[in-house]
Amino acid sequence: MNSDEVQLIKKTWEIPVATPTDSGAAILMQLFTRYPSNLEKFPFRDVPLEELSGNSRFRAHAGRIIRVFDESIQVLGQDGDLQKLDEIWTKVATTHIPRQISKESYNQLKGIILEILTAACSLNESQAAVWAKLLDHIYDIIFKAIDDDGNAK
Ligand code: HEM
């Protein structure tokens, strides 16, 4: 990722990260609305969709997703950024392995993250491609950790 690309990511990220929990909640709500089986993995699986936005554990996961992305975007462009990204996302993958989150679920989330970022930041096609490149890199790390574990699907 070159420095123009890193700058673009950092600049556009300011918009969703200004309201982190709401941004994460918008992403998760889309995930559960479009792909409801993902909801089964969560302790709030029995809460109706229309009541989820006020549920504290729902809001906690929403905020956590954004925080992990924020940490990743902050390290971009610093010395050792690739290694740090590797650590951050291997940890996410590892803590999720006992929950048996499939690659398909991760990919569903990825598509929605890209859509919501594109809308929230009014990304044009080439800007969206830069974000896709970052997400592809992150997902390579997650999927490698899953494959190395040999346990998850
Ligand atoms: C790829 C982006 C994701 C990030 C950054 C992320 C981040 C986190 C973090 C930081 C936690 C809390 C720490 C922990 O227990 O591991 C967590 C918990 C959890 N995550 Fe994720 N997650 C992601 C994707 C997913 C996906 C795709 C699913 C399944 C559909 C999922 C399901 C869960 C569940 C069920 C919990 C426990 C929630 C609770 O007990 O309240 N996560 N996640």
Side-chain angles (χ1 to χ4, degrees):
M1 194 159 267
N2 67 36
S3 66
D4 283 352
E5 292 172 330
V6 168
Q7 276 321 106
L8 171 87
I9 299 272
K10 287 183 187 272
K11 190 71 205 152
T12 48
W13 179 243
E14 288 173 9
I15 297 166
V17 83
T19 51
T21 309
D22 287 345
S23 301
I27 289 167
L28 275 188
M29 194 58 92
Q30 272 295 319
L31 181 72
F32 299 146
T33 305
R34 226 182 292 171
Y35 310 107
S37 62
N38 288 306
L39 189 51
E40 298 301 317
K41 302 283 181 187
F42 286 87
F44 42 80
R45 65 182 70 85
D46 295 325
V47 179
L49 273 187
E50 55 276 16
E51 289 170 26
L52 263 189
S53 61
N55 181 280
S56 58
R57 289 193 84 159
F58 168 80
R59 295 187 70 76
H61 190 249
R64 283 184 187 124
I65 289 184
I66 299 296
R67 226 171 306 135
V68 177
F69 274 96
D70 191 43
E71 197 188 346
S72 307
I73 289 161
Q74 281 185 28
V75 302
L76 285 184
Q78 295 175 2
D79 282 351
D81 52 357
L82 291 181
Q83 159 130 32
K84 189 79 197 133
L85 283 187
D86 220 70
E87 282 166 21
I88 293 171
W89 290 95
T90 300
K91 186 171 150 210
V92 169
T94 309
T95 61
H96 284 66
I97 282 172
R99 302 185 177 113
Q100 303 212 303
I101 310 297
S102 64
K103 290 182 182 175
E104 188 186 10
S105 287
Y106 279 110
N107 281 330
Q108 290 166 344
L109 179 67
K110 181 190 195 180
I112 288 170
I113 289 174
L114 274 175
E115 270 179 37
I116 290 193
L117 279 172
T118 300
C121 310
S122 309
L123 301 180
N124 64 28
E125 225 169 283
S126 69
Q127 293 171 327
V130 175
W131 269 101
K133 187 168 155 184
L134 176 63
L135 283 164
D136 286 348
H137 177 71
I138 284 172
Y139 269 60
D140 283 348
I141 301 169
I142 297 176
F143 288 175
K144 181 174 182 304
I146 290 175
D147 291 342
D148 285 353
D149 178 79
N151 241 330
K153 296 177 235 172

